[in-house]
Amino acid sequence: MNVSKLESNLEDVRRRMAAACARAGRDPSEVRLVAVTKTVTADAARALVGLGVQDLGENRVQEAARKQESLADLDIRWHMIGHLQTNKARDAVRMFDLIHSADSERLAAALDRRAPEGHEVPVLVQVNVSGEESKFGVSATVAIDELRRIADLPAIRVQGLMTMAPFVDDAEQVRPVFVRLRRLAAEVTTLGMPRVEMKHLSMGMTQDFEVAIEEGATLVRIGTALFRGV
Ligand SMILES: *Cc1c(COP(=O)(O)O)cnc(C)c1O
């Protein structure tokens, strides 16, 4: 593993995040980097934590469990960013600090049922803004109703929204997706639902994180840009 390459990739990502914040007149402390480690070893993830990254994202429960075991000596906030099967709900509620991919009422109900007594489950509701069939998430047109039902589940704490934009060559093309998610969050806020906070917008990956930050992302999920050439 090439730690100096990892370090320069991280510097580059941080610099680009700061520049996007500056363009949007945002305070860089409002945007957190979630390093997506799904394609790399626990050692590479450890090296990144050594460089000051505290938030790691994984998209599979089993792989996350392996990494959590290897990195148990480190203080890491773990993010679940991939689709969860309901039969993994019991593990997921114990393993993750934030589940970005609450993509249906059915899954949210499973998470609620599996939460240990007195345990709250912080989630983001994943919205399929682009409407692509290949993507998980509640459809934007019914998101408010769905969110209301999810928020009614006693253990669930909705802390914001998450989306994945379509893959495109030019990130400008997906700006409307991020705008739509931000507006949806604003609409939810005005409704003042009990136990619902819109404090996070999880949007932006390697291809489009700068545009996502310009449109209000508070969590960017980045893998490739960090681990390229490492
Ligand atoms: C893999 C993944 C990412 C990171 O993608 P990169 O293009 O490698 O930055 C972000 N979000 C989700 C949901 C992912 O599955």
Side-chain angles (χ1 to χ4, degrees), residues 12-18 20 31 171 178 203-215 217 220-222 225:
D12 187 54
V13 166
R14 292 253 190 242
R15 186 182 47 71
R16 288 167 60 192
M17 287 174 66
V31 187
F178 301 140
M203 54 189 199
M205 321 182 1
T206 292
Q207 68 159 7
D208 53 23
F209 70 89
E210 288 149 300
V211 173
I213 289 172
E214 287 168 19
E215 297 303 338
V220 288
R221 311 177 307 265
I222 300 179

mmCIF file with all atom_site columns, all heavy atoms in Angstrom, residues 12-18 20 31 171 178 203-215 217 220-222 225:
data_model
loop_
_atom_site.group_PDB
_atom_site.id
_atom_site.type_symbol
_atom_site.label_atom_id
_atom_site.label_alt_id
_atom_site.label_comp_id
_atom_site.label_asym_id
_atom_site.label_entity_id
_atom_site.label_seq_id
_atom_site.pdbx_PDB_ins_code
_atom_site.Cartn_x
_atom_site.Cartn_y
_atom_site.Cartn_z
_atom_site.occupancy
_atom_site.B_iso_or_equiv
_atom_site.pdbx_formal_charge
_atom_site.auth_seq_id
_atom_site.auth_comp_id
_atom_site.auth_asym_id
_atom_site.auth_atom_id
_atom_site.pdbx_PDB_model_num
ATOM 1   N N   . ASP A 1 12  ? -6.128  16.248 -1.642  1.00 0.00 ? 12  ASP A N   1
ATOM 2   C CA  . ASP A 1 12  ? -6.805  16.734 -2.835  1.00 0.00 ? 12  ASP A CA  1
ATOM 3   C C   . ASP A 1 12  ? -8.328  16.783 -2.621  1.00 0.00 ? 12  ASP A C   1
ATOM 4   O O   . ASP A 1 12  ? -8.985  17.774 -2.950  1.00 0.00 ? 12  ASP A O   1
ATOM 5   C CB  . ASP A 1 12  ? -6.445  15.813 -4.008  1.00 0.00 ? 12  ASP A CB  1
ATOM 6   C CG  . ASP A 1 12  ? -6.960  16.333 -5.321  1.00 0.00 ? 12  ASP A CG  1
ATOM 7   O OD1 . ASP A 1 12  ? -6.654  17.498 -5.641  1.00 0.00 ? 12  ASP A OD1 1
ATOM 8   O OD2 . ASP A 1 12  ? -7.693  15.594 -6.007  1.00 0.00 ? 12  ASP A OD2 1
ATOM 9   N N   . VAL A 1 13  ? -8.882  15.717 -2.032  1.00 0.00 ? 13  VAL A N   1
ATOM 10  C CA  . VAL A 1 13  ? -10.326 15.677 -1.773  1.00 0.00 ? 13  VAL A CA  1
ATOM 11  C C   . VAL A 1 13  ? -10.712 16.791 -0.791  1.00 0.00 ? 13  VAL A C   1
ATOM 12  O O   . VAL A 1 13  ? -11.691 17.516 -1.011  1.00 0.00 ? 13  VAL A O   1
ATOM 13  C CB  . VAL A 1 13  ? -10.758 14.291 -1.239  1.00 0.00 ? 13  VAL A CB  1
ATOM 14  C CG1 . VAL A 1 13  ? -12.158 14.324 -0.651  1.00 0.00 ? 13  VAL A CG1 1
ATOM 15  C CG2 . VAL A 1 13  ? -10.675 13.245 -2.355  1.00 0.00 ? 13  VAL A CG2 1
ATOM 16  N N   . ARG A 1 14  ? -9.931  16.943 0.277   1.00 0.00 ? 14  ARG A N   1
ATOM 17  C CA  . ARG A 1 14  ? -10.227 17.985 1.275   1.00 0.00 ? 14  ARG A CA  1
ATOM 18  C C   . ARG A 1 14  ? -10.167 19.382 0.651   1.00 0.00 ? 14  ARG A C   1
ATOM 19  O O   . ARG A 1 14  ? -11.002 20.232 0.953   1.00 0.00 ? 14  ARG A O   1
ATOM 20  C CB  . ARG A 1 14  ? -9.229  17.909 2.433   1.00 0.00 ? 14  ARG A CB  1
ATOM 21  C CG  . ARG A 1 14  ? -9.368  16.663 3.281   1.00 0.00 ? 14  ARG A CG  1
ATOM 22  C CD  . ARG A 1 14  ? -9.998  17.011 4.619   1.00 0.00 ? 14  ARG A CD  1
ATOM 23  N NE  . ARG A 1 14  ? -9.941  15.920 5.562   1.00 0.00 ? 14  ARG A NE  1
ATOM 24  C CZ  . ARG A 1 14  ? -11.019 15.329 6.076   1.00 0.00 ? 14  ARG A CZ  1
ATOM 25  N NH1 . ARG A 1 14  ? -12.245 15.695 5.721   1.00 0.00 ? 14  ARG A NH1 1
ATOM 26  N NH2 . ARG A 1 14  ? -10.887 14.356 6.955   1.00 0.00 ? 14  ARG A NH2 1
ATOM 27  N N   . ARG A 1 15  ? -9.168  19.591 -0.214  1.00 0.00 ? 15  ARG A N   1
ATOM 28  C CA  . ARG A 1 15  ? -9.019  20.890 -0.870  1.00 0.00 ? 15  ARG A CA  1
ATOM 29  C C   . ARG A 1 15  ? -10.217 21.160 -1.792  1.00 0.00 ? 15  ARG A C   1
ATOM 30  O O   . ARG A 1 15  ? -10.784 22.254 -1.805  1.00 0.00 ? 15  ARG A O   1
ATOM 31  C CB  . ARG A 1 15  ? -7.707  20.887 -1.672  1.00 0.00 ? 15  ARG A CB  1
ATOM 32  C CG  . ARG A 1 15  ? -7.311  22.212 -2.298  1.00 0.00 ? 15  ARG A CG  1
ATOM 33  C CD  . ARG A 1 15  ? -6.016  22.094 -3.119  1.00 0.00 ? 15  ARG A CD  1
ATOM 34  N NE  . ARG A 1 15  ? -5.986  20.942 -4.023  1.00 0.00 ? 15  ARG A NE  1
ATOM 35  C CZ  . ARG A 1 15  ? -6.718  20.830 -5.130  1.00 0.00 ? 15  ARG A CZ  1
ATOM 36  N NH1 . ARG A 1 15  ? -7.536  21.800 -5.512  1.00 0.00 ? 15  ARG A NH1 1
ATOM 37  N NH2 . ARG A 1 15  ? -6.647  19.741 -5.878  1.00 0.00 ? 15  ARG A NH2 1
ATOM 38  N N   . ARG A 1 16  ? -10.637 20.135 -2.522  1.00 0.00 ? 16  ARG A N   1
ATOM 39  C CA  . ARG A 1 16  ? -11.791 20.314 -3.424  1.00 0.00 ? 16  ARG A CA  1
ATOM 40  C C   . ARG A 1 16  ? -13.078 20.519 -2.635  1.00 0.00 ? 16  ARG A C   1
ATOM 41  O O   . ARG A 1 16  ? -13.949 21.294 -3.046  1.00 0.00 ? 16  ARG A O   1
ATOM 42  C CB  . ARG A 1 16  ? -11.905 19.107 -4.361  1.00 0.00 ? 16  ARG A CB  1
ATOM 43  C CG  . ARG A 1 16  ? -10.800 19.105 -5.412  1.00 0.00 ? 16  ARG A CG  1
ATOM 44  C CD  . ARG A 1 16  ? -10.705 17.775 -6.145  1.00 0.00 ? 16  ARG A CD  1
ATOM 45  N NE  . ARG A 1 16  ? -11.930 17.428 -6.849  1.00 0.00 ? 16  ARG A NE  1
ATOM 46  C CZ  . ARG A 1 16  ? -12.181 16.220 -7.372  1.00 0.00 ? 16  ARG A CZ  1
ATOM 47  N NH1 . ARG A 1 16  ? -11.289 15.241 -7.270  1.00 0.00 ? 16  ARG A NH1 1
ATOM 48  N NH2 . ARG A 1 16  ? -13.311 15.989 -8.011  1.00 0.00 ? 16  ARG A NH2 1
ATOM 49  N N   . MET A 1 17  ? -13.201 19.838 -1.498  1.00 0.00 ? 17  MET A N   1
ATOM 50  C CA  . MET A 1 17  ? -14.383 20.054 -0.639  1.00 0.00 ? 17  MET A CA  1
ATOM 51  C C   . MET A 1 17  ? -14.406 21.499 -0.133  1.00 0.00 ? 17  MET A C   1
ATOM 52  O O   . MET A 1 17  ? -15.448 22.165 -0.163  1.00 0.00 ? 17  MET A O   1
ATOM 53  C CB  . MET A 1 17  ? -14.369 19.091 0.569   1.00 0.00 ? 17  MET A CB  1
ATOM 54  C CG  . MET A 1 17  ? -14.690 17.639 0.218   1.00 0.00 ? 17  MET A CG  1
ATOM 55  S SD  . MET A 1 17  ? -14.478 16.516 1.645   1.00 0.00 ? 17  MET A SD  1
ATOM 56  C CE  . MET A 1 17  ? -15.782 17.116 2.748   1.00 0.00 ? 17  MET A CE  1
ATOM 57  N N   . ALA A 1 18  ? -13.240 21.984 0.301   1.00 0.00 ? 18  ALA A N   1
ATOM 58  C CA  . ALA A 1 18  ? -13.158 23.352 0.831   1.00 0.00 ? 18  ALA A CA  1
ATOM 59  C C   . ALA A 1 18  ? -13.468 24.375 -0.257  1.00 0.00 ? 18  ALA A C   1
ATOM 60  O O   . ALA A 1 18  ? -14.160 25.372 -0.007  1.00 0.00 ? 18  ALA A O   1
ATOM 61  C CB  . ALA A 1 18  ? -11.766 23.595 1.428   1.00 0.00 ? 18  ALA A CB  1
ATOM 62  N N   . ALA A 1 20  ? -15.376 23.929 -2.888  1.00 0.00 ? 20  ALA A N   1
ATOM 63  C CA  . ALA A 1 20  ? -16.815 23.889 -3.165  1.00 0.00 ? 20  ALA A CA  1
ATOM 64  C C   . ALA A 1 20  ? -17.581 24.642 -2.075  1.00 0.00 ? 20  ALA A C   1
ATOM 65  O O   . ALA A 1 20  ? -18.538 25.374 -2.367  1.00 0.00 ? 20  ALA A O   1
ATOM 66  C CB  . ALA A 1 20  ? -17.295 22.438 -3.275  1.00 0.00 ? 20  ALA A CB  1
ATOM 67  N N   . VAL A 1 31  ? -19.636 20.156 6.387   1.00 0.00 ? 31  VAL A N   1
ATOM 68  C CA  . VAL A 1 31  ? -19.619 19.031 5.444   1.00 0.00 ? 31  VAL A CA  1
ATOM 69  C C   . VAL A 1 31  ? -18.624 17.978 5.912   1.00 0.00 ? 31  VAL A C   1
ATOM 70  O O   . VAL A 1 31  ? -17.438 18.266 6.087   1.00 0.00 ? 31  VAL A O   1
ATOM 71  C CB  . VAL A 1 31  ? -19.220 19.496 4.023   1.00 0.00 ? 31  VAL A CB  1
ATOM 72  C CG1 . VAL A 1 31  ? -19.389 18.339 3.033   1.00 0.00 ? 31  VAL A CG1 1
ATOM 73  C CG2 . VAL A 1 31  ? -20.048 20.696 3.585   1.00 0.00 ? 31  VAL A CG2 1
ATOM 74  N N   . ALA A 1 171 ? -20.762 16.333 -14.103 1.00 0.00 ? 171 ALA A N   1
ATOM 75  C CA  . ALA A 1 171 ? -21.504 16.424 -12.835 1.00 0.00 ? 171 ALA A CA  1
ATOM 76  C C   . ALA A 1 171 ? -22.600 17.491 -12.879 1.00 0.00 ? 171 ALA A C   1
ATOM 77  O O   . ALA A 1 171 ? -23.589 17.400 -12.150 1.00 0.00 ? 171 ALA A O   1
ATOM 78  C CB  . ALA A 1 171 ? -20.535 16.700 -11.688 1.00 0.00 ? 171 ALA A CB  1
ATOM 79  N N   . PHE A 1 178 ? -29.695 16.957 -6.882  1.00 0.00 ? 178 PHE A N   1
ATOM 80  C CA  . PHE A 1 178 ? -29.324 17.439 -5.554  1.00 0.00 ? 178 PHE A CA  1
ATOM 81  C C   . PHE A 1 178 ? -30.226 18.592 -5.104  1.00 0.00 ? 178 PHE A C   1
ATOM 82  O O   . PHE A 1 178 ? -30.586 18.691 -3.930  1.00 0.00 ? 178 PHE A O   1
ATOM 83  C CB  . PHE A 1 178 ? -27.849 17.863 -5.535  1.00 0.00 ? 178 PHE A CB  1
ATOM 84  C CG  . PHE A 1 178 ? -26.899 16.755 -5.897  1.00 0.00 ? 178 PHE A CG  1
ATOM 85  C CD1 . PHE A 1 178 ? -25.786 16.989 -6.691  1.00 0.00 ? 178 PHE A CD1 1
ATOM 86  C CD2 . PHE A 1 178 ? -27.116 15.453 -5.440  1.00 0.00 ? 178 PHE A CD2 1
ATOM 87  C CE1 . PHE A 1 178 ? -24.906 15.965 -7.017  1.00 0.00 ? 178 PHE A CE1 1
ATOM 88  C CE2 . PHE A 1 178 ? -26.242 14.416 -5.771  1.00 0.00 ? 178 PHE A CE2 1
ATOM 89  C CZ  . PHE A 1 178 ? -25.134 14.679 -6.564  1.00 0.00 ? 178 PHE A CZ  1
ATOM 90  N N   . MET A 1 203 ? -25.271 13.254 0.033   1.00 0.00 ? 203 MET A N   1
ATOM 91  C CA  . MET A 1 203 ? -25.273 13.231 -1.432  1.00 0.00 ? 203 MET A CA  1
ATOM 92  C C   . MET A 1 203 ? -23.912 13.658 -1.944  1.00 0.00 ? 203 MET A C   1
ATOM 93  O O   . MET A 1 203 ? -23.253 14.493 -1.347  1.00 0.00 ? 203 MET A O   1
ATOM 94  C CB  . MET A 1 203 ? -26.403 14.106 -1.990  1.00 0.00 ? 203 MET A CB  1
ATOM 95  C CG  . MET A 1 203 ? -26.435 15.552 -1.511  1.00 0.00 ? 203 MET A CG  1
ATOM 96  S SD  . MET A 1 203 ? -27.965 16.375 -2.042  1.00 0.00 ? 203 MET A SD  1
ATOM 97  C CE  . MET A 1 203 ? -27.461 18.121 -1.853  1.00 0.00 ? 203 MET A CE  1
ATOM 98  N N   . GLY A 1 204 ? -23.502 13.037 -3.053  1.00 0.00 ? 204 GLY A N   1
ATOM 99  C CA  . GLY A 1 204 ? -22.199 13.329 -3.640  1.00 0.00 ? 204 GLY A CA  1
ATOM 100 C C   . GLY A 1 204 ? -21.238 12.179 -3.432  1.00 0.00 ? 204 GLY A C   1
ATOM 101 O O   . GLY A 1 204 ? -21.091 11.666 -2.327  1.00 0.00 ? 204 GLY A O   1
ATOM 102 N N   . MET A 1 205 ? -20.640 11.733 -4.571  1.00 0.00 ? 205 MET A N   1
ATOM 103 C CA  . MET A 1 205 ? -19.638 10.675 -4.574  1.00 0.00 ? 205 MET A CA  1
ATOM 104 C C   . MET A 1 205 ? -18.461 11.228 -5.387  1.00 0.00 ? 205 MET A C   1
ATOM 105 O O   . MET A 1 205 ? -18.431 12.411 -5.709  1.00 0.00 ? 205 MET A O   1
ATOM 106 C CB  . MET A 1 205 ? -20.197 9.389  -5.212  1.00 0.00 ? 205 MET A CB  1
ATOM 107 C CG  . MET A 1 205 ? -21.631 9.161  -4.813  1.00 0.00 ? 205 MET A CG  1
ATOM 108 S SD  . MET A 1 205 ? -22.491 7.671  -5.387  1.00 0.00 ? 205 MET A SD  1
ATOM 109 C CE  . MET A 1 205 ? -21.359 6.740  -6.347  1.00 0.00 ? 205 MET A CE  1
ATOM 110 N N   . THR A 1 206 ? -17.506 10.365 -5.732  1.00 0.00 ? 206 THR A N   1
ATOM 111 C CA  . THR A 1 206 ? -16.323 10.853 -6.453  1.00 0.00 ? 206 THR A CA  1
ATOM 112 C C   . THR A 1 206 ? -16.707 11.701 -7.672  1.00 0.00 ? 206 THR A C   1
ATOM 113 O O   . THR A 1 206 ? -16.131 12.762 -7.895  1.00 0.00 ? 206 THR A O   1
ATOM 114 C CB  . THR A 1 206 ? -15.445 9.657  -6.886  1.00 0.00 ? 206 THR A CB  1
ATOM 115 O OG1 . THR A 1 206 ? -14.889 9.078  -5.708  1.00 0.00 ? 206 THR A OG1 1
ATOM 116 C CG2 . THR A 1 206 ? -14.320 10.097 -7.817  1.00 0.00 ? 206 THR A CG2 1
ATOM 117 N N   . GLN A 1 207 ? -17.683 11.254 -8.428  1.00 0.00 ? 207 GLN A N   1
ATOM 118 C CA  . GLN A 1 207 ? -17.986 11.946 -9.701  1.00 0.00 ? 207 GLN A CA  1
ATOM 119 C C   . GLN A 1 207 ? -18.665 13.310 -9.513  1.00 0.00 ? 207 GLN A C   1
ATOM 120 O O   . GLN A 1 207 ? -18.620 14.129 -10.422 1.00 0.00 ? 207 GLN A O   1
ATOM 121 C CB  . GLN A 1 207 ? -18.872 11.058 -10.589 1.00 0.00 ? 207 GLN A CB  1
ATOM 122 C CG  . GLN A 1 207 ? -20.280 10.861 -10.031 1.00 0.00 ? 207 GLN A CG  1
ATOM 123 C CD  . GLN A 1 207 ? -21.315 10.432 -11.090 1.00 0.00 ? 207 GLN A CD  1
ATOM 124 O OE1 . GLN A 1 207 ? -20.968 10.161 -12.233 1.00 0.00 ? 207 GLN A OE1 1
ATOM 125 N NE2 . GLN A 1 207 ? -22.570 10.378 -10.698 1.00 0.00 ? 207 GLN A NE2 1
ATOM 126 N N   . ASP A 1 208 ? -19.293 13.522 -8.365  1.00 0.00 ? 208 ASP A N   1
ATOM 127 C CA  . ASP A 1 208 ? -20.162 14.705 -8.294  1.00 0.00 ? 208 ASP A CA  1
ATOM 128 C C   . ASP A 1 208 ? -20.183 15.391 -6.919  1.00 0.00 ? 208 ASP A C   1
ATOM 129 O O   . ASP A 1 208 ? -21.083 16.171 -6.638  1.00 0.00 ? 208 ASP A O   1
ATOM 130 C CB  . ASP A 1 208 ? -21.593 14.302 -8.707  1.00 0.00 ? 208 ASP A CB  1
ATOM 131 C CG  . ASP A 1 208 ? -22.115 13.115 -7.908  1.00 0.00 ? 208 ASP A CG  1
ATOM 132 O OD1 . ASP A 1 208 ? -21.620 12.864 -6.805  1.00 0.00 ? 208 ASP A OD1 1
ATOM 133 O OD2 . ASP A 1 208 ? -23.034 12.430 -8.409  1.00 0.00 ? 208 ASP A OD2 1
ATOM 134 N N   . PHE A 1 209 ? -19.176 15.139 -6.071  1.00 0.00 ? 209 PHE A N   1
ATOM 135 C CA  . PHE A 1 209 ? -19.292 15.653 -4.698  1.00 0.00 ? 209 PHE A CA  1
ATOM 136 C C   . PHE A 1 209 ? -19.215 17.174 -4.618  1.00 0.00 ? 209 PHE A C   1
ATOM 137 O O   . PHE A 1 209 ? -19.804 17.775 -3.722  1.00 0.00 ? 209 PHE A O   1
ATOM 138 C CB  . PHE A 1 209 ? -18.284 14.976 -3.749  1.00 0.00 ? 209 PHE A CB  1
ATOM 139 C CG  . PHE A 1 209 ? -16.833 15.322 -3.943  1.00 0.00 ? 209 PHE A CG  1
ATOM 140 C CD1 . PHE A 1 209 ? -16.256 16.399 -3.288  1.00 0.00 ? 209 PHE A CD1 1
ATOM 141 C CD2 . PHE A 1 209 ? -16.024 14.543 -4.764  1.00 0.00 ? 209 PHE A CD2 1
ATOM 142 C CE1 . PHE A 1 209 ? -14.897 16.693 -3.442  1.00 0.00 ? 209 PHE A CE1 1
ATOM 143 C CE2 . PHE A 1 209 ? -14.679 14.830 -4.939  1.00 0.00 ? 209 PHE A CE2 1
ATOM 144 C CZ  . PHE A 1 209 ? -14.116 15.916 -4.282  1.00 0.00 ? 209 PHE A CZ  1
ATOM 145 N N   . GLU A 1 210 ? -18.508 17.790 -5.576  1.00 0.00 ? 210 GLU A N   1
ATOM 146 C CA  . GLU A 1 210 ? -18.397 19.252 -5.490  1.00 0.00 ? 210 GLU A CA  1
ATOM 147 C C   . GLU A 1 210 ? -19.749 19.924 -5.766  1.00 0.00 ? 210 GLU A C   1
ATOM 148 O O   . GLU A 1 210 ? -20.153 20.844 -5.056  1.00 0.00 ? 210 GLU A O   1
ATOM 149 C CB  . GLU A 1 210 ? -17.315 19.751 -6.456  1.00 0.00 ? 210 GLU A CB  1
ATOM 150 C CG  . GLU A 1 210 ? -15.933 19.367 -5.939  1.00 0.00 ? 210 GLU A CG  1
ATOM 151 C CD  . GLU A 1 210 ? -14.924 19.113 -7.035  1.00 0.00 ? 210 GLU A CD  1
ATOM 152 O OE1 . GLU A 1 210 ? -15.156 18.192 -7.861  1.00 0.00 ? 210 GLU A OE1 1
ATOM 153 O OE2 . GLU A 1 210 ? -13.914 19.836 -7.074  1.00 0.00 ? 210 GLU A OE2 1
ATOM 154 N N   . VAL A 1 211 ? -20.444 19.424 -6.780  1.00 0.00 ? 211 VAL A N   1
ATOM 155 C CA  . VAL A 1 211 ? -21.777 19.957 -7.088  1.00 0.00 ? 211 VAL A CA  1
ATOM 156 C C   . VAL A 1 211 ? -22.726 19.688 -5.915  1.00 0.00 ? 211 VAL A C   1
ATOM 157 O O   . VAL A 1 211 ? -23.519 20.539 -5.515  1.00 0.00 ? 211 VAL A O   1
ATOM 158 C CB  . VAL A 1 211 ? -22.324 19.339 -8.401  1.00 0.00 ? 211 VAL A CB  1
ATOM 159 C CG1 . VAL A 1 211 ? -23.772 19.748 -8.637  1.00 0.00 ? 211 VAL A CG1 1
ATOM 160 C CG2 . VAL A 1 211 ? -21.457 19.766 -9.580  1.00 0.00 ? 211 VAL A CG2 1
ATOM 161 N N   . ALA A 1 212 ? -22.607 18.491 -5.324  1.00 0.00 ? 212 ALA A N   1
ATOM 162 C CA  . ALA A 1 212 ? -23.469 18.149 -4.179  1.00 0.00 ? 212 ALA A CA  1
ATOM 163 C C   . ALA A 1 212 ? -23.232 19.109 -3.016  1.00 0.00 ? 212 ALA A C   1
ATOM 164 O O   . ALA A 1 212 ? -24.186 19.549 -2.355  1.00 0.00 ? 212 ALA A O   1
ATOM 165 C CB  . ALA A 1 212 ? -23.221 16.696 -3.756  1.00 0.00 ? 212 ALA A CB  1
ATOM 166 N N   . ILE A 1 213 ? -21.981 19.446 -2.765  1.00 0.00 ? 213 ILE A N   1
ATOM 167 C CA  . ILE A 1 213 ? -21.674 20.390 -1.674  1.00 0.00 ? 213 ILE A CA  1
ATOM 168 C C   . ILE A 1 213 ? -22.252 21.767 -1.997  1.00 0.00 ? 213 ILE A C   1
ATOM 169 O O   . ILE A 1 213 ? -22.846 22.424 -1.136  1.00 0.00 ? 213 ILE A O   1
ATOM 170 C CB  . ILE A 1 213 ? -20.148 20.470 -1.425  1.00 0.00 ? 213 ILE A CB  1
ATOM 171 C CG1 . ILE A 1 213 ? -19.662 19.164 -0.784  1.00 0.00 ? 213 ILE A CG1 1
ATOM 172 C CG2 . ILE A 1 213 ? -19.794 21.667 -0.539  1.00 0.00 ? 213 ILE A CG2 1
ATOM 173 C CD1 . ILE A 1 213 ? -18.147 19.040 -0.674  1.00 0.00 ? 213 ILE A CD1 1
ATOM 174 N N   . GLU A 1 214 ? -22.114 22.175 -3.243  1.00 0.00 ? 214 GLU A N   1
ATOM 175 C CA  . GLU A 1 214 ? -22.684 23.478 -3.631  1.00 0.00 ? 214 GLU A CA  1
ATOM 176 C C   . GLU A 1 214 ? -24.192 23.513 -3.392  1.00 0.00 ? 214 GLU A C   1
ATOM 177 O O   . GLU A 1 214 ? -24.765 24.561 -3.145  1.00 0.00 ? 214 GLU A O   1
ATOM 178 C CB  . GLU A 1 214 ? -22.385 23.766 -5.110  1.00 0.00 ? 214 GLU A CB  1
ATOM 179 C CG  . GLU A 1 214 ? -20.937 24.125 -5.374  1.00 0.00 ? 214 GLU A CG  1
ATOM 180 C CD  . GLU A 1 214 ? -20.582 24.121 -6.860  1.00 0.00 ? 214 GLU A CD  1
ATOM 181 O OE1 . GLU A 1 214 ? -21.503 24.188 -7.705  1.00 0.00 ? 214 GLU A OE1 1
ATOM 182 O OE2 . GLU A 1 214 ? -19.394 24.023 -7.165  1.00 0.00 ? 214 GLU A OE2 1
ATOM 183 N N   . GLU A 1 215 ? -24.829 22.331 -3.463  1.00 0.00 ? 215 GLU A N   1
ATOM 184 C CA  . GLU A 1 215 ? -26.284 22.265 -3.288  1.00 0.00 ? 215 GLU A CA  1
ATOM 185 C C   . GLU A 1 215 ? -26.706 21.847 -1.886  1.00 0.00 ? 215 GLU A C   1
ATOM 186 O O   . GLU A 1 215 ? -27.865 21.539 -1.652  1.00 0.00 ? 215 GLU A O   1
ATOM 187 C CB  . GLU A 1 215 ? -26.903 21.345 -4.341  1.00 0.00 ? 215 GLU A CB  1
ATOM 188 C CG  . GLU A 1 215 ? -26.712 21.832 -5.778  1.00 0.00 ? 215 GLU A CG  1
ATOM 189 C CD  . GLU A 1 215 ? -27.262 23.254 -6.010  1.00 0.00 ? 215 GLU A CD  1
ATOM 190 O OE1 . GLU A 1 215 ? -28.132 23.715 -5.251  1.00 0.00 ? 215 GLU A OE1 1
ATOM 191 O OE2 . GLU A 1 215 ? -26.790 23.901 -6.973  1.00 0.00 ? 215 GLU A OE2 1
ATOM 192 N N   . ALA A 1 217 ? -25.012 19.427 0.462   1.00 0.00 ? 217 ALA A N   1
ATOM 193 C CA  . ALA A 1 217 ? -24.633 18.162 1.106   1.00 0.00 ? 217 ALA A CA  1
ATOM 194 C C   . ALA A 1 217 ? -23.974 18.424 2.454   1.00 0.00 ? 217 ALA A C   1
ATOM 195 O O   . ALA A 1 217 ? -23.169 19.356 2.592   1.00 0.00 ? 217 ALA A O   1
ATOM 196 C CB  . ALA A 1 217 ? -23.660 17.385 0.210   1.00 0.00 ? 217 ALA A CB  1
ATOM 197 N N   . VAL A 1 220 ? -20.625 13.696 2.366   1.00 0.00 ? 220 VAL A N   1
ATOM 198 C CA  . VAL A 1 220 ? -20.268 13.210 1.030   1.00 0.00 ? 220 VAL A CA  1
ATOM 199 C C   . VAL A 1 220 ? -19.629 11.841 1.190   1.00 0.00 ? 220 VAL A C   1
ATOM 200 O O   . VAL A 1 220 ? -18.858 11.603 2.115   1.00 0.00 ? 220 VAL A O   1
ATOM 201 C CB  . VAL A 1 220 ? -19.335 14.178 0.264   1.00 0.00 ? 220 VAL A CB  1
ATOM 202 C CG1 . VAL A 1 220 ? -20.097 15.417 -0.175  1.00 0.00 ? 220 VAL A CG1 1
ATOM 203 C CG2 . VAL A 1 220 ? -18.111 14.567 1.089   1.00 0.00 ? 220 VAL A CG2 1
ATOM 204 N N   . ARG A 1 221 ? -19.995 10.922 0.299   1.00 0.00 ? 221 ARG A N   1
ATOM 205 C CA  . ARG A 1 221 ? -19.540 9.527  0.404   1.00 0.00 ? 221 ARG A CA  1
ATOM 206 C C   . ARG A 1 221 ? -18.535 9.275  -0.713  1.00 0.00 ? 221 ARG A C   1
ATOM 207 O O   . ARG A 1 221 ? -18.923 9.163  -1.881  1.00 0.00 ? 221 ARG A O   1
ATOM 208 C CB  . ARG A 1 221 ? -20.743 8.582  0.252   1.00 0.00 ? 221 ARG A CB  1
ATOM 209 C CG  . ARG A 1 221 ? -21.954 8.951  1.126   1.00 0.00 ? 221 ARG A CG  1
ATOM 210 C CD  . ARG A 1 221 ? -23.117 8.008  0.840   1.00 0.00 ? 221 ARG A CD  1
ATOM 211 N NE  . ARG A 1 221 ? -23.437 7.937  -0.576  1.00 0.00 ? 221 ARG A NE  1
ATOM 212 C CZ  . ARG A 1 221 ? -24.381 8.681  -1.170  1.00 0.00 ? 221 ARG A CZ  1
ATOM 213 N NH1 . ARG A 1 221 ? -25.117 9.545  -0.491  1.00 0.00 ? 221 ARG A NH1 1
ATOM 214 N NH2 . ARG A 1 221 ? -24.601 8.555  -2.471  1.00 0.00 ? 221 ARG A NH2 1
ATOM 215 N N   . ILE A 1 222 ? -17.264 9.204  -0.356  1.00 0.00 ? 222 ILE A N   1
ATOM 216 C CA  . ILE A 1 222 ? -16.224 9.172  -1.384  1.00 0.00 ? 222 ILE A CA  1
ATOM 217 C C   . ILE A 1 222 ? -15.303 7.966  -1.218  1.00 0.00 ? 222 ILE A C   1
ATOM 218 O O   . ILE A 1 222 ? -14.759 7.731  -0.145  1.00 0.00 ? 222 ILE A O   1
ATOM 219 C CB  . ILE A 1 222 ? -15.406 10.483 -1.340  1.00 0.00 ? 222 ILE A CB  1
ATOM 220 C CG1 . ILE A 1 222 ? -16.342 11.678 -1.593  1.00 0.00 ? 222 ILE A CG1 1
ATOM 221 C CG2 . ILE A 1 222 ? -14.274 10.447 -2.372  1.00 0.00 ? 222 ILE A CG2 1
ATOM 222 C CD1 . ILE A 1 222 ? -15.661 13.019 -1.559  1.00 0.00 ? 222 ILE A CD1 1
ATOM 223 N N   . ALA A 1 225 ? -11.922 8.443  -5.323  1.00 0.00 ? 225 ALA A N   1
ATOM 224 C CA  . ALA A 1 225 ? -10.988 9.577  -5.307  1.00 0.00 ? 225 ALA A CA  1
ATOM 225 C C   . ALA A 1 225 ? -9.965  9.451  -4.183  1.00 0.00 ? 225 ALA A C   1
ATOM 226 O O   . ALA A 1 225 ? -8.869  9.999  -4.267  1.00 0.00 ? 225 ALA A O   1
ATOM 227 C CB  . ALA A 1 225 ? -11.745 10.898 -5.172  1.00 0.00 ? 225 ALA A CB  1
#
